[in-house]
Amino acid sequence: QVQLVESGGGLGQPGGSLRPSCAASGTFSRIRAMGWYLQAPGKQRELVANIASGGNADYADSVKGRFTITRDNTVNTVSLQMNSLKSEDTAVYYCTADFRRMAYGPYFRSWGQGTQVTISS
């Protein structure tokens, strides 16, 4: 019931910046948190950053000081400002949303299709 569409990935250069964004749409009562995960080839999916509805954010150690997650609750979007890019940031990045369909109902996890981020000289 929540569709997530990522955009803004693509090809970046070491030391450069990218800003993928994700838009949520559908029928839901509330989105509690939104986040970004990455999956490198042959590796498990892992958390990059997560942001609660109130604005509190958590980051993986590997991106602290370089990435900033923000969200706009009025339009149900989340963005990931990626600065000081490194080749090891190369991965597929997935947007997530934790939502409930009605007040006090159970929460569900929705995943986007993923957007490729490639960092190369």
Side-chain angles (χ1 to χ4, degrees), residues 6-119:
E6 300 102 334
S7 62
L11 180 64
Q13 296 185 353
S17 297
L18 288 171
R19 188 180 171 87
S21 296
C22 173
S25 63
T27 302
F28 53 87
S29 173
R30 165 182 161 88
I31 295 178
R32 177 174 61 185
M34 302 186 77
W36 291 92
Y37 285 71
L38 67 81
Q39 188 166 26
K43 303 294 184 180
Q44 294 188 104
R45 199 170 295 183
E46 61 186 60
L47 177 70
V48 177
N50 185 77
I51 184 167
S53 60
N56 292 328
D58 295 309
Y59 299 90
D61 289 341
S62 61
V63 306
K64 287 181 179 177
R66 299 190 298 121
F67 293 5
T68 302
I69 186 171
T70 59
R71 67 185 289 179
D72 187 340
N73 294 335
T74 66
V75 292
N76 298 309
T77 61
V78 63
S79 297
L80 186 68
Q81 180 66 50
M82 307 168 66
N83 296 328
S84 302
L85 288 167
K86 305 174 180 179
S87 60
E88 51 263 44
D89 295 323
T90 296
V92 177
Y93 285 71
Y94 296 88
C95 175
T96 65
D98 299 331
F99 72 98
R100 62 187 181 193
R101 294 165 179 158
M102 62 181 65
Y104 305 104
Y107 278 92
F108 300 86
R109 167 65 59 87
S110 181
W111 293 84
Q113 290 295 109
T115 184
Q116 176 69 48
V117 170
T118 301
I119 312 303

